[in-house]
Amino acid sequence: MMKKTKSTSNPTVAEYVVARLADLGIGHVFGVPGDVAFPIDNAIEANDRLTWIGCSNELNAAYSADGYARIHGAAILCTTFVVGETSALTGVMGSKSERLPVFHLVGAPSSRLMKTRRLVHHTFGDGEADQFRALSAVSACACAFLTPQNAIAEVERVISAALSQRRPGYIQIPQDYALMPVVGTPIRGVPLAQAPTFSSQPRELDAALKAIMIRLAKAKSPVILPAFTIARYGLRKELKALLAATGIPFAACGMDKAVISESHPLYIGMYQGDASKPDVRKIVEGADLVLNLGGVLFGDITTSCYGYSLDPSKMVTVWPDYVEIGAAAVTGGRGNKTFGPIHMKDILVALTNEAPKFKTPSFPRPPAMPEAGASADRISYPSLYSRIQQFLAPDDILCVDPSTSAAVLPNLLLPEGVLYLDQPLWGCIGWGTPAAFGAALADPSRRVILVQGDGGHQLTANQIGTMGRYGVNPIILLVNNGIFGIEEIILLNSDSKKVKNYDQLAPWQYHKLPEAMGCRDWFCKRVETNADLDSALQQARKHPGAAYIEIVPEPKMANAAPPELVERMYQATLPPAEKTN
Ligand SMILES: Cc1ncc(C[n+]2csc(CCOP(=O)(O)OP(=O)(O)O)c2C)c(N)n1
Ligand SMILES: [Mg+2]
């Protein structure tokens, strides 16, 4: 629990907030400074537990905080009033969508300017300086506008909500209040792993457990689907214990790749609806009980556009804060029964102690991506992906930007301990470079490998300069096909041979970017053949610093989406009148 400390001279609001977040053990703050945020920026700079990480823009800062939170558990982002905070918004909203507690600190004009409706910069000039708070509010699960009087209570409320829901928290501080001492007794917090979130309601927990145990007792062929939230809530250890106790095999869905190491003996492979391997599909869809642990989201991108068939009556979903028998995701909310509030950790632990041990069925080990492409040949998509498969080493962090590669790389079989970072739900191209930077900063002992398309890269490539500035050593694999490739793959009437004008890109000299952005001692190479790619990958792995490989595949898009998938996408998305076209 938190200790209360009595102090004769209280810290200022800005000093207090940053100290309280530093208590969580978050060591870095991603941001861009600004005049009204100076009190916060200065408090961060003066706090010896925090390091300011100056980013090339607020969007990059937000994505970097997102990547950092994926590895560290939480992150801090600091921007200035309106122009800064709104630039960060799609990044922070991505963190909300993909359940990452990013604390967003924003400096606002002095309260006396706002109260007297004076015309301040970064506004529409109409005296309504506080109208923008509603925009940022959408990106967070809790928002606070701090005063010296409410700061202590409000900061606790935001921290508690953000950690309970694993979503961003927004804290705005007017410039004058930021410099005034907090009123009350400052709270000294505990590190993230010990920070209290919410507790289960005992009778509900008991009832939910009974309901699950009844189903487990009858089950002959159960399967587990662990969701990404297991990682977000730091429950990998508890899940491993449950797997060991029950012997139930598990599959990973599209948003949940490598929540548990893919070298685990109970791992059967990826379940992505129609895009699954037939044996995985048979085990998952044929299971008489599906334990959906953490709340897998069955969305368009991760299920091959709803190409899955799961019987809702056979599903038990342990959401982070409640248990659902039957599956609203599948039934549209009909006929399901819920218990809550329940913390999913309590269910994992209780099931580990009480669930029966099953005889694990035999299943083939999930296959690695097959080898492809002779040395002397031009790089093709299969040859590139097979080389990424060979290249990965235990404990690497593989980060994949939304692109053609993101549609194929879930099919990799990852070595022991490799983490897979992607953004399948929010799906913002350009997230990859800054997110890879944040992940690399969060754990310098692991090698971050980024796979990104050229289109996505053009959105946020300037964060490479920030990577160089702070000396992280990722390996960037930049796929230069000159186009927004995945868009061409899923285009309606894609029989046209001509790439759409709107899918074409400015031809950058990508491998020269690190040098131009001041990165020293990076290994940079442009490759067109498999032999050159092999050699560049080897050198990149040995190189002590960062590496940037610009990969130019042959023009042919080697992995056009199956026609049935494209058809299903349009059946699902277009109005009926269009469907016959
Ligand atoms: C911020 C944002 N803008 C636009 C899109 C739509 N979009 C999705 S994928 C994609 C193309 C990605 O192209 P590229 O990064 O070059 O990867 P490729 O498929 O060519 O390998 C676009 C424009 C998006 N998802 N996010
Ligand atoms: Mg491209």
Side-chain angles (χ1 to χ4, degrees), residues 90-111:
T90 192
V92 185
M93 287 184 182
S95 298
K96 183 174 185 183
S97 155
E98 306 224 343
R99 310 289 300 250
L100 294 151
V102 171
F103 295 98
H104 189 185
L105 303 180
V106 177
S110 163
S111 68

Side-chain angles (χ1 to χ4, degrees), residues 63 381 401-405 427-429 452-457 459 479 481 483-487 505 557:
Y63 287 149
Y381 285 89
D401 201 51
S403 60
T404 304
S405 301
C428 225
I429 63 168
Q452 185 164 43
D454 44 1
H457 201 48
L459 272 75
V479 185
N481 58 9
I483 55 172
F484 284 135
I486 185 83
E487 298 215 317
L505 297 169
M557 295 300 292

Side-chain angles (χ1 to χ4, degrees), residues 52 78 125 155 204 262 338 370 493 516:
W52 175 265
C78 183
V155 170
E204 292 285 312
E262 293 193 349
T338 62
N493 302 328

Side-chain angles (χ1 to χ4, degrees), residues 188-213:
R188 182 78 199 246
V190 293
L192 204 52
Q194 297 149 34
T197 52
F198 62 95
S199 11
S200 303
Q201 214 280 337
R203 280 175 51 186
E204 292 285 312
L205 175 61
D206 208 42
L209 265 173
K210 281 201 183 100
I212 301 174
M213 289 301 292

Side-chain angles (χ1 to χ4, degrees), residues 4-15:
K4 291 209 163 189
T5 54
K6 188 88 193 142
S7 150
T8 41
S9 68
N10 271 348
T12 65
V13 172
E15 287 166 348

Side-chain angles (χ1 to χ4, degrees), residues 28-44:
H28 300 86
V29 181
F30 299 91
V32 178
D35 58 350
V36 293
F38 282 162
I40 311 175
D41 303 334
N42 288 335
I44 292 164

Side-chain angles (χ1 to χ4, degrees), residues 136-321:
S136 286
V138 178
S139 71
C141 71
C143 302
F145 177 75
L146 296 193
T147 68
Q149 281 74 20
N150 75 10
I152 293 174
E154 282 292 89
V155 170
E156 290 314 299
R157 182 178 64 81
V158 171
I159 291 176
S160 165
L163 295 186
S164 294
Q165 297 184 39
R166 293 305 205 250
R167 298 196 199 263
Y170 175 81
I171 298 177
Q172 197 191 67
I173 319 177
Q175 204 173 358
D176 53 342
Y177 290 165
L179 295 168
M180 295 177 189
V182 292
V183 175
T185 307
I187 291 170
R188 182 78 199 246
V190 293
L192 204 52
Q194 297 149 34
T197 52
F198 62 95
S199 11
S200 303
Q201 214 280 337
R203 280 175 51 186
E204 292 285 312
L205 175 61
D206 208 42
L209 265 173
K210 281 201 183 100
I212 301 174
M213 289 301 292
I214 288 170
R215 281 160 181 79
L216 275 168
K218 287 192 207 142
K220 299 248 171 332
S221 55
V223 72
I224 287 178
L225 302 178
F228 68 108
T229 50
I230 295 278
R232 303 291 193 265
Y233 281 82
L235 296 175
R236 288 191 170 99
K237 191 164 63 66
E238 287 75 5
L239 177 61
K240 276 190 208 155
L242 174 61
L243 291 168
T246 60
I248 300 175
F250 70 98
C253 298
M255 199 168 168
D256 318 290
K257 187 170 175 65
V259 164
I260 293 282
S261 176
E262 293 193 349
S263 61
H264 193 289
L266 291 172
Y267 177 56
I268 56 177
M270 294 295 294
Y271 175 68
Q272 307 176 91
D274 281 354
S276 318
K277 297 260 178 314
D279 45 321
V280 176
R281 193 161 188 186
K282 202 164 132 208
I283 296 177
V284 175
E285 294 185 356
D288 56 4
L289 175 64
V290 177
L291 281 178
N292 173 351
L293 299 182
V296 170
L297 300 174
F298 298 96
D300 47 0
I301 299 293
T302 51
T303 60
S304 205
C305 201
Y306 318 110
Y308 64 99
S309 162
L310 289 168
D311 180 347
S313 67
K314 291 180 179 154
M315 191 176 296
V316 167
T317 306
V318 182
W319 295 98
D321 56 351

